[in-house]
Each structure stands twice: as structure tokens, then as C-alpha cells.
Amino acid sequence: MIEARDVTVVFKRGIRRKPLRALDGFNVTVHRGDVFGLLGPNGAGKSTAMYCFLGLIRPTQGSIRVGGLEPVPGSKSFERIAYVPEEPHYHLYLTVFEALRYYAGLYVNDIPKARLEEAIRRVGLTEFRDMRLDRCSKGMKQKLGIATCLITQPDLVFLDEPTRGLDPVIVKEFRDIILDMNRQGATFVINSHILSEVEMVCNRVAIMDHGRVVVQDDLRQLMKYDSDTYIVEFSGPDGLVLPEFMTATPSLHDLRRGALPSQHLPEFMRFVETSGIKLWSCALKRQNLEEAFFKILKGGPMG
């Protein structure tokens, strides 16, 4: 679906300032059907990469192919591509319904009213259909962008920080719509700083730093098990003295949750037998995306 090979983007910044190398040997592959997360700290080059995918910035060096073609805005290949920016700029004098009819109508002719109403219903804007956009919240405007995608039925959707600053209810609705569209065949590329959301929707990610992709992999591989640590849940009498090799904190329903090095597991199991505690679970620690993200950026081992 998307292939970027050895892409470099250099911005000139005047006579007295050094050129800015926004992308530096950038390589990435997005497969058809992916929900692909583009991650990295501020200044890593995520937005520049997305603008290159959209044909808004031409690489200084290297090549980009979207659907097998060089990205050129306005070309026929872009009829099946959608982009929802972090801060959409709409004609604010339009109502929600009028805006959807206008913007979706730029891509699809003679849209039946019932189809517009269904898209508005699906993103939860029915009661606001006649509200002017200058009175709508950021979340409502983001929903309008997704509603436009529902009308145009794109094969490829780019989302730039889609849930930043939105309340948890709208975030959940966004997540459900993205996953539903993906099940129907849409591919997504999501630029986001909210790692917990990426972890819930993406199947593959690329982590960027200083204009390069540091790691590109299946999300499950990045969140692999830590073979050196076990996580245990147990219950026991008050005043129980734990072995020195483990740490524990209170958990739910009078349970305690602890961590211990894997080499001490046999010793811990003997402690369970002799101390009278009840062991509820024992499993290798699984790191989350945030832990993997910071390990990768610091150049540490992945576990």
C-alpha cells in the first residue's frame, strides 16, 4: 500500500541558518489492511513523513509509492485516499449537515440524503446536525472528518493526532469507528503521541527518531514478554513477610501483586507452599507499548 525508500527531506532556512534535515534515510512499509501507527518524539519527522505520503512535500532524495504510484494531489489515485488533520479548517458558517454534504460532495456526486444522515448518525452527531460549525467543539469537528470518510469510503485514511484533547467517550467512539472501517477493508496510518490509544487500535507501528525509522514491527513483537521477570498475584495473612528478592503492592479485592526475577521462581514456589499464601496467577511480565517505546529510543534491550 505504501513504500518509502531512503527518503530524505531537507528544508532550506535562509542564508545564515543551516538547512533542516527533517527526514534522513526514512524507510517504511505499510501493508494493505494495516492500522499503522507512526510514533516518535516531537521533531522526529512524523508529520513530514505524512505530508510526503500525501504528496504535499516532495522528497529531496528517495522514493515514495502509495498504491504503487507516486503521490500527486488531485490525481485519480487520490480519489480513494482521505486525510483528517488534527485541526480541521472548515467553513464555519455551515451547519454539520451542510458541511458534510459540501465536503463529501467534492468527491462523490449526488449523495442521497439518507446516506448523509446515516453517516451523521454513525459518528453520533444527529442531535447536532443543524448546529453551525463555529459552535461545535473540536471533537465534533473531528467526527465530521470521519463522517466524510464514511461517505467517500476511502481505501487509505491518514489521521493526524485524531484523539488529542478529546474526552474519553469521544475517544472510544473514534476507536470503534476506525476498527469497524478497517474490518471493511480500509487501511489507516495514524500519527499519534497517545501510546495507549495506538496500542488499542494498531497492528503495526514504526518508531521514529531524528528523521529515521528506528524500529518497524508488528505491535505484538514490540510488546513481547520480559523473560527476566515474573508477575504474581496472591493473597495471604496480614503481616506476611515477603522474600527479599520480590516486591509487592496492593491490588484489587485484597490481592497483592508482585514482581520477582525469574531465577528466584523455584524459591518463590517453595515460599508459597510453606507460608500458607494463595497464589492466583504467575506469568512472565509483558511490557506495554510505552515501555517498549522508551527502551527503543534509549537504545536499551527489548527484553
Side-chain angles (χ1 to χ4, degrees):
M1 179 62 80
I2 298 176
E3 290 280 349
R5 290 291 171 262
D6 300 319
V7 174
T8 296
V9 173
V10 179
F11 295 117
K12 295 180 180 180
R13 300 193 293 175
I15 298 175
R16 297 186 179 182
R17 301 181 67 188
K18 290 180 61 177
L20 174 65
R21 191 173 288 264
L23 294 180
D24 186 11
F26 173 77
N27 292 279
V28 80
T29 300
V30 179
H31 302 133
R32 187 176 299 276
D34 277 347
V35 180
F36 191 91
L38 204 56
L39 313 177
N42 290 333
K46 303 185 301 299
S47 294
T48 301
M50 187 168 284
Y51 294 152
C52 286
F53 296 154
L54 291 164
L56 301 176
I57 293 176
R58 293 182 64 85
T60 307
Q61 294 178 347
S63 66
I64 293 178
R65 293 292 182 268
V66 178
L69 302 172
E70 183 179 355
V72 178
S75 65
K76 192 169 183 62
S77 63
F78 267 64
E79 292 179 359
R80 305 293 293 176
I81 294 175
Y83 169 54
V84 181
E86 179 185 0
E87 296 285 350
H89 294 284
Y90 296 120
H91 295 89
L92 298 180
Y93 56 83
L94 296 175
T95 66
V96 168
F97 180 83
E98 291 168 343
L100 178 60
R101 181 174 57 189
Y102 172 73
Y103 292 111
L106 297 175
Y107 298 89
V108 181
N109 295 323
D110 302 322
I111 306 170
K113 182 180 178 181
R115 188 174 169 189
L116 294 168
E117 297 285 7
E118 172 59 20
I120 288 175
R121 183 201 64 78
R122 194 168 166 192
V123 298
L125 289 177
T126 299
E127 63 179 300
F128 307 107
R129 70 179 299 283
D130 297 319
M131 180 180 288
R132 282 172 49 124
L133 295 185
D134 56 4
R135 297 181 56 200
C136 290
S137 67
K138 176 182 176 180
M140 293 163 67
K141 293 174 183 175
Q142 289 283 60
K143 284 184 174 183
L144 176 59
I146 294 294
T148 305
C149 291
L150 294 174
I151 293 291
T152 58
Q153 297 179 325
D155 295 326
L156 176 60
V157 182
F158 294 94
L159 301 178
D160 192 0
E161 297 289 356
T163 59
R164 177 186 282 182
L166 304 185
D167 69 64
V169 174
I170 295 179
V171 169
K172 171 66 165 58
E173 293 173 348
F174 254 84
R175 184 166 64 241
D176 291 344
I177 292 171
I178 290 170
L179 293 175
D180 186 46
M181 290 179 66
N182 178 249
R183 283 190 290 268
Q184 296 179 36
T187 300
F188 284 84
V189 177
I190 302 174
N191 170 13
S192 179
H193 286 91
I194 305 177
L195 300 182
S196 59
E197 277 302 309
V198 170
E199 188 173 326
M200 296 180 76
V201 299
C202 293
N203 67 306
R204 296 180 64 244
V205 299
I207 297 178
M208 297 182 61
D209 195 23
H210 295 95
R212 292 174 175 263
V213 172
V214 182
V215 169
Q216 177 182 192
D217 209 339
D218 186 281
L219 187 63
R220 290 171 295 182
Q221 287 298 315
L222 290 180
M223 296 166 58
K224 60 188 177 183
Y225 293 102
D226 181 349
S227 60
D228 294 328
T229 305
Y230 275 88
I231 301 298
V232 296
E233 283 191 321
F234 60 93
S235 58
D238 294 337
L240 178 69
V241 178
L242 297 174
E244 293 183 355
F245 55 75
M246 71 176 297
T247 58
T249 57
S251 187
L252 296 175
H253 309 300
D254 297 324
L255 294 181
R256 300 184 70 182
R257 194 168 190 265
L260 64 142
S262 58
Q263 66 266 29
H264 288 292
L265 182 61
E267 189 176 347
F268 173 72
M269 298 308 292
R270 289 193 293 270
F271 171 75
V272 170
E273 293 175 358
T274 59
S275 64
I277 70 173
K278 186 169 184 178
L279 182 63
W280 294 94
S281 67
C282 177
L284 283 170
K285 180 183 178 183
R286 185 180 179 89
Q287 65 183 357
N288 59 32
L289 180 57
E290 182 177 279
E291 292 170 328
F293 178 83
F294 286 110
K295 279 185 180 180
I296 290 167
L297 290 184
K298 291 177 181 178
M302 286 296 298

